[in-house]
Structures are given as C-alpha cells and as structure tokens.
C-alpha cells in the first residue's frame, strides 16, 4: 500500500483538474490498466506521482491516497508489497526519486502490518522455511493477476508473513474498515484466504520423486513414484514434467522420453530393457514456485523504500534414479490367429503364428552365429458345441485335445501350421500356443515360458451346423371359406441345444426365428430363381429356429383371388448365427408352390328361336360362371365352323362375340346373336375363353365340345309317290268339293350363283314350280283329291251291285 498526504498533491491536482474525471468502475472492483493507475483520481482528486520508471498496475485504489496491488518497474517486472506496511514504494505519489536493488532470494524478511491510521502495526521477522516458501508460492501465482487477485495476493502475503491481524484487509473483511472504496477490499480479503490455504497445502520447498525398478535377468522394468511433493507432504498436481531414459532401456513404445503432468498421487510407467548396463531415469518438473521468495530492497528520497516481492517467479526441479540392467532372458512371444474363422467339416485346421522377441532382436549362438531355434507347440482342441470365455488355465479342456502341431522357429516372422489336423464334425475348435523352456535343450535356462490363452476369440474356428428346411405347401380353405396356403415345415440340422447360447465376446448368440414369406408370382412373370427379390411379400410368419415340425395354417397365408392367375411361393430364410449357417430356400421350389383355384365355367350353345338349326338360322352362346373369379376377369366367345362329319377345327373364327366383362361376379351371361349362312349345311361350334385382368387364362373351352356344337342340316324333300290309274268318271257330275291333284314332289330351288356371306341373313327361297311349264303345282292338289274320292265311290257302287 502506498501512503501520501493530501497537501502534497494539491498543486498537481490543480494543474490537470480540467483534463481528468473520477475513476470509472466496470464492476464492483475498479478495472484499472497500467496507464489508468498512473492517472486514476482516487477519492479526493489527487494525481499520483512516483520515482521515474515506476508505476502502479493491477489492483484496487481505496481511501484518499492508498492502493493495493501490483507495482511495476521500467523493465516491466511486476512486484507487490512484501508484507512491508508503513513505508513508501517507489511508485508512491510522495516519492520523486529512489533506487531498488536487484531481487534476490532471502532466508529472512522483516515484515510490518498495513493498518488504518492511528492503529498500531504488527512487526516481525520471517525466518521459517515454511512461511518463506508460502510467500514464494503465493507470489508465483500472480504473474498476470486480475485486479482482485492483485490485491488479494498482497493480503495473502500479509497472512503468510504473520502481520494480517489488525490489518486493513482483516477489517475490510469483517466490515469495520471505513474508507472510500473499502467495499472492494472485502472480496479481495476473501480471495486472500483461499490463496493462503492453497499455499499451506502446496508450497515448497519441493521434492521431485522417481524410483527405478529393474528385476534381475528381465526384459521389463518400471519407473514408479513419479511426482512432486510439497513441504506439507502433499503431492502437487498439474505441473508439466518430462521423464527421460538413458542407458539400455526404452519405454514400451520404443521412445526414451515422455511428457505428462503431475497428479494428486504418484505415477508409474513400464520400460523395456534392451541390454546390459546402467539405466538412468531423469524426472524434470517445470514451473514450480521457488523455495524462498525473491525480494528487492532499496531507498528513496523519503528514506528506506518498501520491500517488494517479485510476482510470477517460477523454477524447475528434477530428480534422478539409476539401476543396473543384467543379462536378460530370451523372451520369445507368439501372437496367433486362425487362418479361417468359418470352415467346413473335414477342412484342415490352420493357425497363423506371428513370432517376435521382447527385446526386438533374435539371439544367436555365439560359436556358430546361427539364430537360436525355438521349439513351440500349438495344441488344437475341439469340437465344442459353443465357444467359451477366454481363460488362462486349460485343465477343463484336456480331454478335448484333438492334436498338436510342432513348430520350429528360427527368427521373427509369420508362419502357418501345416494343416494336418482336420475338423471331424460341426462345432468350435481353438488353438493354444506355448513355449516351454524344457523343450529348448541346453538353452532352456535362458528362456522364459510363454503360453497363449485358452479359447481366445482370435484363435477359434467354427464348423457351422448346416440347417435344412423341407416343406409341403397345399391349398386349403378354412371354415370361413377363405382360401389360403397351408404349409407344413420340417426343420433339421440345428444343434439340439440351439437357442441356449446367448453369445460371448467375438461370437453372436443363437438366432431365435426362421422367417417364412409368401409371395405371389403372376402368370405373365417368368418364374425363375431370384424372382421374389424385389417383390412385396403378402405375409410373413416366423417359427422357432430349431429342429422340429411346424405348421403354418391357411389363415396366416391368405390367398387373394383378385390377384389373378399365378403361383403362390413360400420362401423360408434363417439369417444364420455364430453356430449355424444361414439358409434361404429357393423361390422356385415346387413343394413350396400353390396355384389358386377359380370357379367353374359352363357353356351352352342354342338356336335363338328353338328347334333344329337349319341353314340361315340364328344362334348364340350362354356362359355360366359358378364360384370365385378375380376382379377384372372377362370372357371371350368365338365361333368356328367345319363340314358335317369331319373332325372339329377351331383355327380361324368366323365370328367373335362382344367381350363379357363380368369381373368377379358369377352368374349367367349370353353372347350376341349370329345368323349362320343359308347356302350349305355345316357344323357350328362356340369356344369360350375366360381370362384374368392381365390376360392370363382361367378357363378355355374345348373345340367341338358337345354343349357348344350345333349342326345345320339341309331339309330333305318329300318322298315321291305314283299317281293312281285313271278310272272313267261316273256319269254323274263330280262333287264340287273334290279336286284331282298331281303329287309329283316339288323340285329344289337351285342356289344363287354367288354364295351368301356367312354373316349375312339367309335369303327366303321362291315357291316351287312344275318343271318346264311354269304352272303352279298347288292348283292340282284339290283336283287330285276329287278324283280319289270319285274313284272310291264308283268302287263301292260296283261292289253293291
């Protein structure tokens, strides 16, 4: 804190009063830059002055002539009051000249409290390492403080120096210090208490700690106890450190240096020994506080200048540890992985071995210079129904040892077992590699034993079970009349305990279901393998993924007749799991196919006016639909003709009726009428064809079907009879009702020169005439009848006589 009298500043204040305004406060604590501190007008309106090159920086102005915070010299070095109240710093407005000595570490420090005017200040000398270390620690934290921390640092130093009691900070903290801006000192006092508690826990003198543990005849070691210990015995966290190795050793990643930060507890790190000799671990911790404070003393034109402590001053500490690495053991290692994770029954069981040396180099025989040969063994175990968790003790698997590969290795690299051991059946097989010093002959004493885990996931192969799905799909109609596909499915090939394995690291658990999906393939679509890949399914049903017989009832696989003519195909699929191979049945499998059944079509050809069909007559066909038909169905009826007595031929229709658009409505439908030609007798036959909306055939009538065939015959002429012998007429006059008639049959009217078109109406024939006379034969009929009657009467009269 800087002290000054009001009278000493009046003249200066009057000189620049027109240029300056009272200090502004951005928050509860006034924000003050270095320039602002030099020109700030504390309450009372004075302008601080100081020895050349010295100024105030971060901190808090209070009262009429006081300041708590950073003092800065012309070189930019930051200081604060070293618990030395009662005298002026060179930044004080009451000092015009002075000189400060270069800072140096001190083992004792005179201190005096900063108390309100009229109060008696505490005085003393700090000589304890603990207290001096605390002051050095507090000052080291304030390299770039805020205004609050700058003032709090000065108050915390007073606490560590033993002169806090009765000071302005204590009174500001309890609210008994009365001065302009004193309220800003209260949070600074609270913060100073936090800094002081931190100093008691983490202040020096410090000790960097590191220990090196190198077992005899080993390739591995450890650096432990890495840390920074405060005077309180606490591990200090958060300080950056670098740990380096020298000698025949590296860290596990092959480097010789690592960088980290200290923690609240000591740390350790593994190392690898690369040879024989002295190994040194050096720990260097950066940015810690000095054990003793750096103090600058001096004088001014007012006498002794205020003692200042350097802020932000830090240093590095280090520690070393050494150990002797002896001749290491040879530590070969084998990393193994199966060549194929999934194999087939009877396939060779092959393991891939990657051999390495812990030291990174392979030892040689001194006398010959040849690399040492390592005799390794790779055991094969199995089969097992399920994989197991990885273990290091394989005693439980001893009875399942399938065989052993002997492998000789003469250097680092990768090799495969010869595949002489094969998989006899479904199940899981694992490999386990080992190097036994007893198998190495006279070099065995220099070998360390190696053994890979049992049932390691990367060392396990599986011969998957091969499932089979057989089914028998059939058309079925339920009690509600709904048609559907009933499918009886027989599943085999799963392990008997399938469904019990829930999975383990590296292996999925048993699949739970088999899906069965119903598709419809329209008749116009080519039914080939893969046809269902892009089709929308009609229905999907799941059954358990296990051996057994399962029935899918027709209600679960409904048939939609409106889809028309085609094939319903069931495709079954098991996605597969770690134990069982995947399976998808063929989408052209005949036993999984059902075709829908539609209603019956009956037809009946008829003569429109009834009776026998004669040339020129009119005919039609009746189509009778019974049962279920798809929406959009229709029927076409065509008419064919062929000569009487010959085989039916239905190649070129002579007439096609208008299409009957009946859809899914059963019933009786009639075609239009057709008048047959009148020129010749013939047989006429209708043929019906019924289709779905896509033109696929539902029903097709037979050519020449009896119910669809009509025969048009020519009318036979009357039989000819001989006229009776003429009898002389009686003398009496003939009866007027009796007439003689010529019974000669009428001649057939010859056809017209041009034949009539089959679809044209039949023309009427002309009346019959007597040959070569043109006389109408009908006139003779009554005459003939009269003659017969007269002859009969004459015969009777003669008999009576």
């Amino acid at each position: 804190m800087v002290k000054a009298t009001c009278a000493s500043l009046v003249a200066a204040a009057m000189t620049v009063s027109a240029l300056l305004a009272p200090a502004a406060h951005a928050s509860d604590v006034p924000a003050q830059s270095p320039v602002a501190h030099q020109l700030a007008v504390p309450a009372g309106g004075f302008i601080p002055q100081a020895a050349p090159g010295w100024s105030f920086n971060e901190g808090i102005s209070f009262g009429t002539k006081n300041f708590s915070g950073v003092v800065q010299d012309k070189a930019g070095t930051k200081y604060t009051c070293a618990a030395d109240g009662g005298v002026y710093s060179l930044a004080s407005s009451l000092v015009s000249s002075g000189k400060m000595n270069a800072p140096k570490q001190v083992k004792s420090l005179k201190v005096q409290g900063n108390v309100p005017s009229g109060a008696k200040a505490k005085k003393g000398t700090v000589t304890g390492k603990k207290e001096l270390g605390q002051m050095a620690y507090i000052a080291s934290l304030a390299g770039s403080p805020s205004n609050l921390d700058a003032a709090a640092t000065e108050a915390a130093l007073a606490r560590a120096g033993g002169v806090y009691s009765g000071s302005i900070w204590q009174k500001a903290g309890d609210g008994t210090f009365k001065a302009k801006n004193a309220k800003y000192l209260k949070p600074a006092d609270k913060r100073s208490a936090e800094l002081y508690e931190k100093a008691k826990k983490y202040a020096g003198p410090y000790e960097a700690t590191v220990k090196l543990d190198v077992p005899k005849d080993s390739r591995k070691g450890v650096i432990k106890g890495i840390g920074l210990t405060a005077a309180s015995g606490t591990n200090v966290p958060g300080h950056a450190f670098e740990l380096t190795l020298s000698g025949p050793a590296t860290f596990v990643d092959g480097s010789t240096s690592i960088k980290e930060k200290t923690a609240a507890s000591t740390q350790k790190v593994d190392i690898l020994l690369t040879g024989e000799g002295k190994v040194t671990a050096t720990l260097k911790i950066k940015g810690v506080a000095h054990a003793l404070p750096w103090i600058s003393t001096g004088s001014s034109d007012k006498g002794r200048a205020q003692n200042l402590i350097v802020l932000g001053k830090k240093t590095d500490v280090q520690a070393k540890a050494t150990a002797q690495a002896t001749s290491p053991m040879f530590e070969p290692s084998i990393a193994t992985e199966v060549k194929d994770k999934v194999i087939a029954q009877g396939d060779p069981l092959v393991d891939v071995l990657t051999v390495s040396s812990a030291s990174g180099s392979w030892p040689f025989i001194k006398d010959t210079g040849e690399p040492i040969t390592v005799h390794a063994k790779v055991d094969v175990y199995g089969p097992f129904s399920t994989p197991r968790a990885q273990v290091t003790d394989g005693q439980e698997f001893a009875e399942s040892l399938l065989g052993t590969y002997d492998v000789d290795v003469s250097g680092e690299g990768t090799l495969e077992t010869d595949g002489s051991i094969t998989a006899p059946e479904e199940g899981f097989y694992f490999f386990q590699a080992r190097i036994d010093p007893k198998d190495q002959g006279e070099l065995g004493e220099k070998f360390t034993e190696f053994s890979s885990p049992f049932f390691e996931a990367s060392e396990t192969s599986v011969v998957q079970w091969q499932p089979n799905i057989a089914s028998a799909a059939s058309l079925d109609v339920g009690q509600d009349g709904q048609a559907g596909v009933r499918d009886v499915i027989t599943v085999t090939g799963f392990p008997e305990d399938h469904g019990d394995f829930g999975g383990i690291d590296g292996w999925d658990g048993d699949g739970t279901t088999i899906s069965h999906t119903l598709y419809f393939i329209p008749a116009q679509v080519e039914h080939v393998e893969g046809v269902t890949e892009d089709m929308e399914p009609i229905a999907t049903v799941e059954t358990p993924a296990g051996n057994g017989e399962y029935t899918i009832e027709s209600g679960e696989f409904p048939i939609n007749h409106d889809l028309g003519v085609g094939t319903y195909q069931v495709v079954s699929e098991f996605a597969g799991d770690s134990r069982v191979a995947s399976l998808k049945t063929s989408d052209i499998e005949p036993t999984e196919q059902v075709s829908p059944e539609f209603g019956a079509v009956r037809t009946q050809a008829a003569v429109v006016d009834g009776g026998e069909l004669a040339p020129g007559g009119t005919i039609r066909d009746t189509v009778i639909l019974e049962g279920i038909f798809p929406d959009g169905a229709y029927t076409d009826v065509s008419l064919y003709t062929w000569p009487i007595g010959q085989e039916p031929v239905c190649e070129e229709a002579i007439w096609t009726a208008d299409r009957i658009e009946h859809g899914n409505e059963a019933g009786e439908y009639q075609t239009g009428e057709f008048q047959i030609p009148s020129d010749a007798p013939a047989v006429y036959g209708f043929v019906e064809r019924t289709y779905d909306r896509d033109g696929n055939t539902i029903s097709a009538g037979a050519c020449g079907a009896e119910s669809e065939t009509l025969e048009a015959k020519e009318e036979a002429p009357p039989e000819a009879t001989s006229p009776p012998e003429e009898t002389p007429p009686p003398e009496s006059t003939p009866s007027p009702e009796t007439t003689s008639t010529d019974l000669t049959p009428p001649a057939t009217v010859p056809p017209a020169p041009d034949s009539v078109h089959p679809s044209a109406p039949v023309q009427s024939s002309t009346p019959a005439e007597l040959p070569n006379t043109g006389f109408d034969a009908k006139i003779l009929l009554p005459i003939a009848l009269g003659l017969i009657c007269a002859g009969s009467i004459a015969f009777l009269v003669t008999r009576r006589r």
Side-chain angles (χ1 to χ4, degrees), residues 372-443:
I372 291 175
T373 298
V374 177
H375 304 288
K377 293 183 182 295
V378 180
D379 294 326
V380 185
Y381 295 85
F384 300 91
S385 175
T386 61
R388 314 286 178 82
Q390 178 179 306
V391 295
T392 56
D393 184 359
Q395 185 175 357
E396 62 177 303
F397 308 120
E399 294 183 1
S400 299
L401 178 63
L402 187 63
T404 300
Y405 289 111
D406 291 311
V407 181
D408 290 341
V409 183
S410 298
E412 293 184 317
T414 300
L415 66 157
E416 296 181 0
T417 57
D418 61 24
S420 57
I421 303 173
T422 59
E425 58 184 280
E426 297 96 339
F428 291 82
Y429 301 82
F430 72 85
F431 298 83
Q432 193 262 338
R434 53 191 171 90
I435 298 175
D436 191 339
K438 296 177 183 178
D439 296 332
Q440 312 309 318
E442 60 184 20
L443 297 174

Side-chain angles (χ1 to χ4, degrees), residues 615-616 675-679 752 754 756 760-766:
Q675 184 176 23
I676 66 174
S678 60
D679 58 348
D754 296 326
V756 180
V762 179
Q763 301 294 325
S764 299
S765 56
T766 57

Side-chain angles (χ1 to χ4, degrees), residues 260-541:
E260 267 296 342
K261 286 187 176 183
T262 58
S265 59
T266 58
Q267 298 166 277
K268 67 178 182 177
V269 60
D270 294 329
I271 63 172
L272 299 176
L273 304 173
T274 58
E276 190 171 359
K278 182 180 178 181
V279 178
T280 301
T282 302
L283 174 66
K284 186 176 183 180
I285 302 175
K286 301 178 179 181
V288 302
H290 289 267
L292 297 172
W294 289 77
I295 303 296
S296 176
T297 61
S299 60
S300 72
D301 58 337
K302 299 299 182 181
R304 183 178 71 83
Q306 189 178 69
N307 292 333
L308 300 177
I309 185 170
V310 180
L311 300 177
K313 190 77 170 176
K314 295 182 180 180
T315 187
D316 298 338
V317 295
Q318 71 176 31
K320 290 186 178 182
T322 61
Q324 186 69 26
T326 60
S327 178
M329 300 287 285
F330 178 39
E331 296 183 61
S333 176
I334 301 177
T336 54
E337 184 175 9
V338 294
K339 184 177 182 180
D340 297 299
K341 192 167 186 176
V342 179
I343 59 176
Q345 184 175 342
D347 281 356
L349 291 157
V350 180
D351 200 21
V352 180
L353 290 75
T354 301
V355 183
S356 61
S357 169
S359 65
S361 61
W362 198 267
F364 291 81
I365 300 174
K366 291 182 179 180
D367 295 340
T368 63
E370 295 294 324
I372 291 175
T373 298
V374 177
H375 304 288
K377 293 183 182 295
V378 180
D379 294 326
V380 185
Y381 295 85
F384 300 91
S385 175
T386 61
R388 314 286 178 82
Q390 178 179 306
V391 295
T392 56
D393 184 359
Q395 185 175 357
E396 62 177 303
F397 308 120
E399 294 183 1
S400 299
L401 178 63
L402 187 63
T404 300
Y405 289 111
D406 291 311
V407 181
D408 290 341
V409 183
S410 298
E412 293 184 317
T414 300
L415 66 157
E416 296 181 0
T417 57
D418 61 24
S420 57
I421 303 173
T422 59
E425 58 184 280
E426 297 96 339
F428 291 82
Y429 301 82
F430 72 85
F431 298 83
Q432 193 262 338
R434 53 191 171 90
I435 298 175
D436 191 339
K438 296 177 183 178
D439 296 332
Q440 312 309 318
E442 60 184 20
L443 297 174
E445 294 181 357
K446 279 293 182 181
F447 276 78
T448 57
E449 185 175 1
F450 171 81
S451 178
S452 65
F454 292 81
F455 243 127
E456 193 174 5
S458 64
E459 277 287 76
T460 305
S461 292
V462 61
V463 177
Q464 290 183 311
W465 278 261
Q466 301 297 318
N468 181 64
I469 301 174
S471 60
S474 60
L475 182 66
D476 182 64
V477 179
Q479 294 181 353
D480 58 355
Q482 172 64 50
V485 177
R486 185 177 187 270
D487 202 1
V488 179
I489 298 160
T490 303
V491 180
T492 57
F494 280 82
E496 292 303 320
D497 63 346
H498 193 262
D500 296 341
F501 177 56
I504 202 170
D505 185 29
W507 301 98
D508 295 331
D510 290 343
T512 58
T513 59
I514 300 172
S515 65
H516 310 275
T517 304
L518 181 66
Y519 297 93
F520 176 73
I521 297 93
Q524 71 271 17
V525 175
E526 186 178 7
H527 196 156
V528 294
E529 191 73 57
V531 67
T532 62
E533 287 182 4
D534 297 323
M535 286 186 172
E536 288 293 327
I538 294 176
T540 298
V541 176

